[in-house]
Amino acid sequence: MDLDHLEACCWPASQIGDAMSALAQKAGLAIGNSQLANPRSLPSGTGATPWIDWAAKQIGCEAELMAATFRELETELPAAYPALLRISDSFFLAIVDGKGSALRVLMPNLRLRSVAICDVCRAIREPAERAIRTDLERLVTEAEMTASGQAKTINFLLEEQLGDKRFDQCWTLRVAPGATPARWFEQVGALKNVARLIGAHTVQYVLWLVSW
């Protein structure tokens, strides 16, 4: 998936309030039908954290900033949900959950779509890679390597130079401290399982009574 198609799955930064409200509702974290107003402007980078923290509290949950290195993104992102992931100053992904090599995201039309984690990671890394790729390409060209050798060398050098670069543009949503046990069950998806378990035992008990 190229960047244009990935951005089509994103929420504009100008609609971050709508994105958080919809995501929190989908994840069962919001209180009632809480609806956030969109900010007049949202600072770039981690400058958005104060507004995101404040907004999360308004709808009954809390936001936790996830930090990882570029090298760790493929392993960290599948477990970071529900979350608002900033792939650029202009766009956010609303991550509902993750499984295997894909993330399931909530789009502005409120439909769900799976996106490949590798495509998301590529979009995150691209600006930093672009800044040094030209110099690396010049270096391998002067070394008179084959085309395949050049590509492998460039990827290796990018990994070496940027692998430890810190990424801190992902905010996971959590049940607020002090919430009722029922809300904690909802977050981990346990409430429905408990209800099914109780129902199953009830049926077994009724069948046992009838058999007497």
Side-chain angles (χ1 to χ4, degrees):
M1 180 183 290
D2 60 29
L3 184 58
D4 288 340
H5 285 91
L6 183 62
E7 289 180 348
C9 300
C10 294
W11 295 73
S14 60
Q15 296 177 18
I16 184 64
D18 295 333
M20 183 181 289
S21 298
L23 181 61
Q25 290 286 345
K26 185 69 177 178
L29 297 176
I31 296 176
N33 294 316
S34 305
Q35 185 65 40
L36 290 166
N38 293 309
R40 293 183 179 179
S41 63
L42 191 69
S44 61
T46 53
T49 297
W51 187 90
I52 290 176
D53 285 343
W54 171 85
K57 293 175 183 176
Q58 302 309 301
I59 56 177
C61 56
E62 67 174 5
E64 180 180 349
L65 183 64
M66 183 208 82
T69 64
F70 275 14
R71 186 177 287 113
E72 297 168 336
L73 287 175
E74 278 83 358
T75 56
E76 294 293 330
L77 288 182
Y81 64 83
L84 292 169
L85 173 67
R86 195 170 201 168
I87 65 168
S88 70
D89 281 347
S90 302
F91 292 102
F92 284 82
L93 279 175
I95 303 173
V96 176
D97 54 34
K99 185 177 182 181
S101 61
L103 300 173
R104 200 161 57 122
V105 302
L106 183 66
M107 299 190 295
N109 61 11
L110 302 184
R111 294 181 179 178
L112 294 173
R113 181 170 179 179
S114 291
V115 297
I117 291 176
C118 62
D119 291 335
V120 175
C121 293
R122 188 181 304 117
I124 291 171
R125 295 178 179 127
E126 195 277 332
E129 291 182 350
R130 189 193 324 131
I132 64 174
R133 183 179 288 275
T134 300
D135 289 339
L136 295 180
E137 289 175 344
R138 185 183 303 112
L139 179 66
V140 298
T141 299
E142 293 173 354
E144 298 183 353
M145 304 172 66
T146 64
S148 61
Q150 288 181 10
K152 291 179 181 178
T153 301
I154 288 173
N155 289 336
F156 173 78
L157 293 174
L158 287 173
E159 169 71 13
E160 284 298 302
Q161 293 195 32
L162 299 176
D164 292 327
K165 183 177 176 61
R166 176 183 167 91
F167 175 75
D168 52 6
Q169 302 291 300
C170 182
W171 295 264
T172 57
L173 301 183
R174 296 286 182 264
V175 172
T180 63
R183 294 198 65 216
W184 284 102
F185 274 127
E186 287 178 5
Q187 176 167 336
V188 298
L191 198 57
K192 291 182 179 179
N193 293 333
V194 171
R196 281 195 292 266
L197 184 62
I198 293 173
H201 281 292
T202 300
V203 170
Q204 290 177 358
Y205 180 66
V206 170
L207 291 175
W208 179 76
L209 287 176
V210 171
S211 67
W212 275 78

